[in-house]
Amino acid sequence: MTNEIEQIPVALTVNGEKVSKLIEPRLSLVDFLRNELELTGSHIGCEHGVCGACTVRVNGEIVRGCLMLAVQANGGEVETIEGASDSGKIDDLQKAFHERNALQCGFCTPGMLMTTTELLATNPDPSREEIREYLSGNYCRCTGYEAIVDAIETVAQERKGA
Amino acid sequence: MPDTKSMIKDHVLDRPNSYIGRSVPRPNAKRLLAGRGTFTDDVKLPRLTHVAFLRSTYAHAEIVSIDVSEAKESEGVVAVVTGPEMAEVCSPWVGVLTHLEGLKSAPQHALAVKKASWQGEPVVAVVANTRAQAEDAIELIDIEWKELPVVADMETALDPETPLIHPELGDNLAWQRDLDAGDVDTAFANADHVIEETYISNRHTGVCLETRGIVADYNPGEDQLTIYHSTQAPHMMQSLFAKHLNIEEHKVRVICKDVGGSYGIKVHSYPDEYATVALAYMLKRPVKFIADRLESFTSDIHARDHRVKTKVAVSNEGEIQAFEIDDLTGIGPYSVYPRTSGIEANQVVNLTGGQYTNPNYRARAQVVLQNKSPMCQYRAVGHPILTLITEGMVDDAARKIGMDPLEIRRKNLVPDDAYPTTAPSGLPFENLSHHASLYKLVEMMDYDGLRKDQAEAREQGIYRGIGLATFIEVTNPGPAFYGVGGAPISAQDGATMRLDAKGNVIVEIGVTEQGQGAEAVVAQCAATALGVSMDKIKVIAGDTDITPYGGGTWGSRAAGIGGEAAVQAGKALRQNIVEVAGIMLQCDPSTLDIRENNVVDLADGNERMALAEVGRVCYYRPDTLPKDYQSELVVTRHYVPKQFPFAFTNGVQGCYLEVDTNTGFITFKKYVVVEDCGTVINPLLVDEQVRGGVIQGLGGALYEECLYSDEGQFLNGTMADYLVPMAAEMPDVEVGHVESPTLDSELGAKGAGEAGTGGAPAVVMNALNDALEPLGGKVTIQPFTPERILQAIGKI
C-alpha cells in the first residue's frame, strides 16, 4: 500500500489575490492557507472547531478554517488576518487591543480580531455581556478576556462617535 | 515599609522621564496583532520533513514486537524509528534532583523501549514529507502489545497488592517528605477545637493554545544543531539536547521566537522533543514536530492531582494553634526531567500556613507513581493547592467558632511589621504585607456592604457567598530552586546593551517573552537606567547563540531578575557614555547625565550632545579621541538574588458569588485581587498578569479536570470535552496593589505572574461554602462543578 492520494485543482481569491493550486481533497482550509500560501497568521489550536484560533472569512462569513476543507472554498473569496490587517480596516481594533494589552501570547489574537470584525458589523453597539457571549467561540488562555472586552467596547464607542 | 529610593544613591526610580511605574503598551505586540508573529509551526526550512508519533494506546503494556516494514514503504516516508534505534542516538534520563533527598525515578527514553507506561507515551517515530503522510504511515505499523496491570488510583498506589510500575525501584513511592515544626501534638491536645477535612484538587493541565512544537535541523558540515523551539528556557534546553545527543553545548543553538502560551507547560523537556532533535541529527535535515490537540492532552505535563487530609486547631478566641496536613499526589510513571515532579508537593509542604503566626505545623507529602500522563510544574506550582488547604482550614476554624472569616485572618496573619521572618518550614520571608493588602481588599470590595447584601438576599432565598483567600507566592527564584539540586538551569540572567552609531540601543536579554511582556519590561528598565526613550530600544531574547546565558522565563522571574539585569547594564552603559562624552566635551563626566537621548548637564539638564553624536565619534572618528583612550559602548551585567533564596510576594483575593441551588451554576458578582509584587514596573502588564492568572485559576477551580478510566485511559482529550474558561462565564477582576519592594535588587520588583492562579481556587471554594452553609452544604473537591455543588446540598 502506498497511500497515494489524487490531487485536485482549486482556484480562489485570497486577500484579493487570485490563486490556483493542486491539492489533496482532505486538506483543511487553514492548512491550505498556512502551508500552501504561507499565510501563517491563521493559527491552529484544536483542529476540531472549538478554540477559534483559525477563524477566517469566506465569502463574507467568518468560519473555522479547521472545519472547512480547502476544496469547499473553491471559486470563493477568502480573507485572512493578513488581508484584514494590510487593508487598514481594522486599524482601530488593533490599536485598541494594543493600548489595552488585550493580547498576551498573541496566538488567539488573529481569530479574535476576525470574530470581532463580524461582531461589530452585525451589532455596532454591543453590551459587555453581548461581547462576552459573542467571543465564547474564541478561547484565550492568557488574558482572562476582560482586556479584550474592554478593547472591543472602546472601539464600538469610538466608531459610534465617529 | 522600607523606602527603597532613600536607601540607594542614584536610584533608578529617581531618574527623570522614568518608565518605571508607567503603563507602556508592549512594543512587540503589534506584529502579533497583524498576524505577523513567528510561532514554531510558522518556521519553514529547506528540505523540511515532519514527524508524527505512534503513541501507546495502553496505560501500561509491554511491547512484544513492532513491524514497520509496510510503513517504511508508504508514500512520502523518509524514516521510521523505534525505541531501541532511538536509544543509540539519544541517551535516557532520570528526573531527580539531589536536594529533594530520596526522590527516585526510572530511566526514561525518547521513544519507549520494552514497555509503555502511560497512554500517549511516544513509541515509534515516522518522518515524512508531510505530517499527513507520516500519520498515514503510522496506520501501517503493526505492534503486538501485552497488557500489564494498570496503576491508576493514587490512593492504592502504595498498597502491597498493587503492582510496581518500575520493579527496579522497589515500590511506587517516588518521594516522601515529612516536616514537623513547633509542638503539634501538644497544640492539638490542648486545643478548644480541632477540625478535620479532606480537600481534593483534581488533575488538570495548561492547554496552551499553541501546542508544543519544535523544528530541529542538523548541518553536518559545521556539526551544528539549530533548534526552533516553543520553550520557556532556551539555555536549559540547549544543555539538555547537547547532553543527551552527546554534542558539545556550543554546537547546539536554541531559538525561541513567539510562544503561544506556556504557563509552565513549556519549561520541561519532553520525549517527543528529544526524539525530533535526534531525528534531525540522524537524518541530517530539518524535522518538525507540532503536537496535535489530543497529543497535547496526553503528553503535555498535567498538574495538581492532590488529596490532602487537613487538621487545624483553634481556640475559642480564634487563635489558630496548629496545622497538620497529609498530602498524597500521583505524578504519572516518571518524575519529569530535569525539574522533577517533587517540586509541587515540596511547595505544599514548605508554604502551607506560611502567612499565619501559628508555629505548630506538621506535614507529610507522598509522591506516588501511576500510569497516567506525567505531572510536573504548571503555573503557580503547588500554590493553588496549598492556598486551597490553608484558606480552607482557616475558614473551617472560623466556621467552627462562629467567627467572621475576615476577623480570624486579621487575628492570625503575621503582622506587617514583623518582617523579616521565617515560615514554620524555615523559609525566610523578607517583606510581606498581608494586613495592608487585606485592608485594601476590604475597602475595594466593600466587605460590610456585601455582608449586608448577602443577608438580604438570603431572606429572599438567594444564596450568595463571600470568599477570602490570602496567599504567599514564590517569585525571583535563586539557585535554591533547581541549581543546587544539579539541574542545568541558570539562576542568574544577563543583559548586554550596545549603543550603536546612530544612538539606538540593542538589548540582548536571557529571559524570554511568553506574552507576559518581558521584552517591554526589560526595555522600560533599560531605557530608564540609560536615559533614552523606549523607541530607541530594541530587545532581543530567545537565542542561545546571542543572548547572555540565562534561565529563561518561569517562576515569575523575568521582570524581577531580567529587569534588574537591564537596570544594571543601563547604568553601566550610561557611565561609559558619559565618560567618553566628558572627554569630547572636556568636562568632568560626573557632571554629566543622559536624558531623553542626549548627554546633558547633571545639574540643570542642559543638552550637551546627542547620543547619536557620541556613537558617530566613537565608531567613525575614534581618531579624534585621545590615543590612550578606548571607548566601550557595549556592556553586559548580570543579576541573581543573593540575600534571599526567593522573593516571596503576597496578596489576597476576594470574591462574591451567587449559587443557583437548582442548577448548581454560579455567577460572580464581584472579584477583587490585591497583590504586592514590590515595585510595579508596568501597571498595565501587571494587572493583566493578575487577571489572566485569576481566570486560569478559575479554570481549575470550576471546569478543568483530566478524566481517566480505571484502565488509565484519558477520557476527555478534546477541547469540546475538556472545558476551559470562556469569555461569557468569566468575571471582570478589580486589581489593587500594595508595593513592598525587595531590597535584594535596586529595582525592587518581585514577580506577578502566578499570584492570580494560586489564590483563585481557594477564594471560590470559600465563597461557595459561605453561600452553601445555611443549606448545610460544603464543597471540598475541585473542580467545583454544578454536579458537585448540587451533591453538596443534597439536591442530587
Side-chain angles (χ1 to χ4, degrees):
Chain A
M1 187 175 163
T2 57
N3 286 319
E4 280 180 55
I5 293 167
E6 189 193 354
Q7 303 214 321
I8 61 171
V10 291
L12 59 163
T13 304
V14 179
N15 298 329
E17 292 176 30
K18 286 188 176 358
V19 295
S20 54
K21 291 270 179 185
L22 210 52
I23 59 168
E24 291 185 359
R26 66 179 174 179
L27 192 65
S28 70
L29 177 60
V30 68
D31 278 341
F32 173 75
L33 294 169
R34 290 181 51 82
N35 299 334
E36 301 292 323
L37 304 185
E38 301 186 339
L39 290 165
T40 54
S42 305
H43 297 143
I44 298 174
C46 70
E47 293 180 283
H48 42 253
V50 178
C51 79
C54 62
T55 305
V56 295
R57 187 181 296 275
V58 178
N59 298 328
E61 305 266 318
I62 56 164
V63 302
R64 303 291 160 113
C66 71
L67 289 186
M68 187 171 185
L69 294 170
V71 293
Q72 290 177 286
N74 192 21
E77 285 197 26
V78 176
E79 184 185 54
T80 70
I81 183 65
E82 289 91 344
S85 181
D86 291 350
S87 74
K89 67 187 177 191
I90 59 169
D91 281 358
D92 56 350
L93 264 181
Q94 290 167 317
K95 180 169 171 283
F97 269 59
H98 186 229
E99 287 175 353
R100 184 58 190 84
N101 202 47
L103 72 160
Q104 290 183 25
C105 79
F107 197 79
C108 73
T109 308
M112 205 63 87
L113 289 170
M114 296 303 282
T115 300
T116 302
T117 58
E118 185 80 356
L119 163 67
L120 294 178
T122 54
N123 181 2
D125 191 16
S127 67
R128 289 182 76 80
E129 291 67 35
E130 285 171 329
I131 296 170
R132 285 184 173 277
E133 186 65 35
Y134 203 89
L135 293 181
S136 281
N138 288 75
Y139 286 6
C140 170
R141 286 293 273 173
C142 296
T143 65
Y145 302 105
E146 183 174 338
I148 297 172
V149 177
D150 288 347
I152 295 170
E153 205 176 27
T154 299
V155 171
Q157 279 162 11
E158 283 171 359
R159 287 186 184 178
K160 203 166 65 177
Chain B
M1 200 178 298
D3 180 354
T4 319
K5 290 183 189 179
S6 67
M7 295 182 71
I8 303 164
K9 202 177 155 230
D10 188 26
H11 193 272
V12 66
L13 300 180
D14 273 341
R15 300 275 299 149
N17 304 107
S18 171
Y19 285 100
I20 309 302
R22 282 170 58 182
S23 288
V24 183
R26 294 161 49 206
N28 61 358
K30 283 187 175 176
R31 67 168 181 266
L32 302 169
L33 283 157
R36 299 295 292 271
T38 308
F39 296 94
T40 302
D41 194 25
D42 303 339
V43 174
K44 218 171 179 179
L45 301 173
R47 299 175 69 230
L48 182 64
T49 62
H50 300 260
V51 61
F53 295 96
L54 184 153
R55 294 175 184 272
S56 175
T57 50
Y58 296 102
H60 201 195
E62 189 184 323
I63 302 164
V64 178
S65 66
I66 304 179
D67 181 358
V68 299
S69 53
E70 237 188 301
K72 280 185 171 173
E73 299 304 316
S74 188
E75 175 85 9
V77 168
V78 175
V80 183
V81 176
T82 63
E85 293 162 336
M86 178 59 68
E88 289 174 22
V89 177
C90 183
S91 61
W93 55 86
V94 181
V96 296
L97 290 170
T98 55
H99 68 309
L100 302 187
E101 203 183 332
L103 174 64
K104 60 185 195 270
S105 188
Q108 187 180 3
H109 287 83
L111 296 176
V113 175
K114 290 184 184 159
K115 74 167 189 173
S117 299
W118 85 90
Q119 180 215 10
E121 183 170 5
V123 179
V124 183
V126 177
V127 182
N129 286 312
T130 69
R131 167 79 183 220
Q133 288 172 331
E135 289 184 17
D136 289 342
I138 281 177
E139 301 290 318
L140 305 174
I141 295 172
D142 192 14
I143 300 195
E144 188 186 337
W145 294 97
K146 182 184 163 201
E147 284 189 69
L148 297 170
V150 173
V151 183
D153 184 359
M154 66 186 185
E155 292 280 0
T156 57
L158 300 179
D159 291 353
E161 58 274 19
T162 300
L164 301 184
I165 295 178
H166 306 293
E168 67 272 28
L169 298 182
D171 55 32
N172 289 328
L173 181 66
W175 191 51
Q176 177 166 323
R177 182 176 170 202
D178 290 278
L179 179 78
D180 202 342
D183 188 350
V184 175
D185 290 331
T186 304
F188 278 118
N190 297 335
D192 292 331
H193 306 279
V194 175
I195 307 102
E196 296 188 50
E197 188 53 273
T198 299
Y199 292 100
I200 292 174
S201 162
N202 274 306
R203 177 182 269 259
H204 50 289
T205 183
V207 196
C208 307
L209 209 50
E210 180 212 33
T211 55
R212 288 186 299 105
I214 188 164
V215 180
D217 191 13
Y218 178 66
N219 183 335
E222 44 187 24
D223 189 24
Q224 176 72 42
L225 262 170
T226 304
I227 298 161
Y228 296 84
H229 195 189
S230 186
T231 180
Q232 296 171 238
H235 280 104
M236 179 192 90
M237 293 312 307
Q238 174 194 43
S239 180
L240 296 174
F241 289 136
K243 178 178 178 183
H244 291 283
L245 267 69
N246 197 22
I247 300 172
E248 290 282 350
E249 272 191 33
H250 67 294
K251 297 288 189 184
V252 178
R253 179 183 188 185
V254 176
I255 300 168
C256 174
K257 300 225 170 197
D258 291 311
V259 174
S262 50
Y263 329 112
I265 301 301
K266 295 172 181 172
V267 78
H268 311 292
S269 68
Y270 288 89
D272 44 26
E273 295 175 0
Y274 285 102
T276 304
V277 175
L279 287 163
Y281 185 64
M282 293 156 84
L283 298 170
K284 302 179 180 63
R285 63 187 288 192
V287 182
K288 178 186 278 190
F289 167 63
I290 304 294
D292 67 25
R293 186 51 63 185
L294 176 60
E295 286 183 295
S296 284
F297 274 118
T298 60
S299 68
D300 287 4
I301 61 103
H302 296 172
R304 319 218 214 282
D305 199 1
H306 289 247
R307 183 278 290 142
V308 193
K309 293 179 181 167
T310 63
K311 197 170 157 187
V312 55
V314 64
S315 72
N316 287 326
E317 294 72 38
E319 185 196 349
I320 294 170
Q321 295 160 319
F323 289 121
E324 183 171 359
I325 64 165
D326 179 348
D327 180 20
L328 176 69
T329 177
I331 57 159
Y334 296 101
S335 171
V336 173
Y337 184 66
R339 287 167 196 255
T340 83
S341 305
I343 298 288
E344 196 176 71
N346 202 43
Q347 302 273 58
V348 172
V349 172
N350 275 339
L351 296 174
T352 294
Q355 61 269 54
Y356 294 102
T357 52
N358 161 56
N360 305 310
Y361 172 51
R362 183 184 288 145
R364 161 168 290 186
Q366 288 187 308
V367 177
V368 303
L369 302 174
Q370 54 182 180
N371 295 114
K372 294 181 181 176
S373 292
M375 276 212 331
C376 203
Q377 285 80 286
Y378 165 44
R379 191 178 195 172
V381 191
H383 293 69
I385 298 128
L386 70 94
T387 306
L388 185 88
I389 59 175
T390 300
E391 294 299 85
M393 283 191 283
V394 170
D395 269 20
D396 285 343
R399 211 173 287 120
K400 185 76 179 182
I401 59 171
M403 187 179 252
D404 189 273
L406 175 60
E407 197 48 43
I408 197 169
R409 286 175 173 80
R410 283 182 169 151
K411 197 177 175 72
N412 288 281
L413 286 166
V414 175
D416 291 357
D417 60 6
Y419 293 95
T421 184
T422 52
S425 63
L427 280 175
F429 295 136
E430 179 195 6
N431 186 14
L432 302 179
S433 61
H434 293 296
H435 288 270
S437 298
L438 190 60
Y439 181 85
K440 185 158 191 169
L441 181 102
V442 165
E443 296 285 301
M444 285 175 71
M445 73 189 295
D446 183 17
Y447 188 83
D448 294 338
L450 292 183
R451 281 284 175 226
K452 196 160 160 279
D453 179 82
Q454 179 185 35
E456 288 167 6
R458 272 184 197 169
E459 283 174 16
Q460 297 164 34
I462 297 168
Y463 292 87
R464 294 177 178 162
I466 303 174
L468 295 174
T470 64
F471 60 87
I472 41 183
E473 184 203 347
V474 171
T475 78
N476 292 6
F481 217 154
Y482 294 113
V484 296
I489 299 169
S490 178
Q492 73 172 21
D493 257 273
T496 296
M497 276 176 75
R498 175 173 91 227
L499 182 77
D500 74 12
K502 298 293 186 286
N504 299 302
V505 180
I506 308 295
V507 184
E508 292 151 8
I509 188 85
V511 298
T512 59
E513 178 67 82
Q514 312 289 313
Q516 81 283 45
E519 290 182 12
V521 164
V522 163
Q524 284 178 269
C525 291
T528 301
L530 180 57
V532 300
S533 52
M534 273 183 70
D535 61 332
K536 296 286 180 191
I537 301 242
K538 179 177 189 174
V539 177
I540 297 173
D543 187 335
T544 57
D545 265 13
I546 293 173
T547 71
Y549 200 92
T553 292
W554 49 272
S556 295
R557 71 187 292 282
I561 294 178
E564 178 69 8
V567 162
Q568 297 307 327
K571 288 177 72 175
L573 182 57
R574 171 156 49 100
Q575 190 55 41
N576 287 7
I577 291 170
V578 298
E579 185 180 286
V580 68
I583 292 170
M584 290 185 235
L585 297 166
Q586 297 187 323
C587 68
D588 180 353
S590 69
T591 66
L592 299 173
D593 192 10
I594 301 173
R595 296 174 195 168
E596 294 184 77
N597 314 316
N598 291 298
V599 177
V600 301
D601 284 325
L602 181 66
D604 55 16
N606 280 342
E607 284 181 28
R608 299 296 302 275
M609 180 186 275
L611 285 185
E613 178 63 8
V614 176
R616 185 189 70 81
V617 171
C618 289
Y619 290 112
Y620 303 151
R621 294 303 307 277
D623 56 306
T624 63
L625 295 171
K627 291 199 187 317
D628 61 351
Y629 181 76
Q630 175 60 55
S631 66
E632 294 293 350
L633 300 186
V634 182
V635 300
T636 300
R637 289 294 182 273
H638 290 85
Y639 170 68
V640 63
K642 295 189 178 74
Q643 307 302 321
F644 290 88
F646 310 96
F648 282 99
T649 70
N650 68 278
V652 55
Q653 302 197 10
C655 88
Y656 187 47
L657 55 75
E658 181 176 314
V659 183
D660 183 328
T661 53
N662 290 316
T663 63
F665 281 36
I666 67 168
T667 311
F668 289 100
K669 312 287 287 180
K670 194 177 263 297
Y671 204 114
V672 183
V673 180
V674 175
E675 220 263 339
D676 184 349
C677 62
T679 304
V680 174
I681 301 170
N682 186 324
L684 174 72
L685 301 187
V686 168
D687 286 359
E688 291 314 309
Q689 279 301 296
V690 172
R691 290 197 176 96
V694 163
I695 303 307
Q696 202 154 40
L698 291 181
L702 297 174
Y703 312 115
E704 299 183 43
E705 182 173 0
C706 298
L707 298 169
Y708 278 90
S709 73
D710 292 344
E711 295 77 35
Q713 292 286 315
F714 196 108
L715 299 176
N716 55 338
T718 76
M719 278 180 132
D721 298 306
Y722 180 102
L723 303 182
V724 299
M726 294 189 288
E729 292 84 12
M730 289 296 106
D732 286 343
V733 178
E734 293 174 56
V735 184
H737 298 281
V738 172
E739 291 190 58
S740 310
T742 173
L743 299 183
D744 214 335
S745 71
E746 189 176 347
L747 184 62
K750 308 173 188 175
E754 301 170 273
T757 309
V763 76
V764 169
M765 181 179 76
N766 285 351
L768 271 169
N769 288 337
D770 187 44
L772 301 180
E773 192 187 7
L775 299 169
K778 185 181 183 190
V779 290
T780 53
I781 302 173
Q782 177 190 329
F784 309 110
T785 58
E787 186 183 9
R788 288 185 178 127
I789 289 168
L790 293 177
Q791 282 168 347
I793 54 175
K795 282 278 174 82
I796 57 172

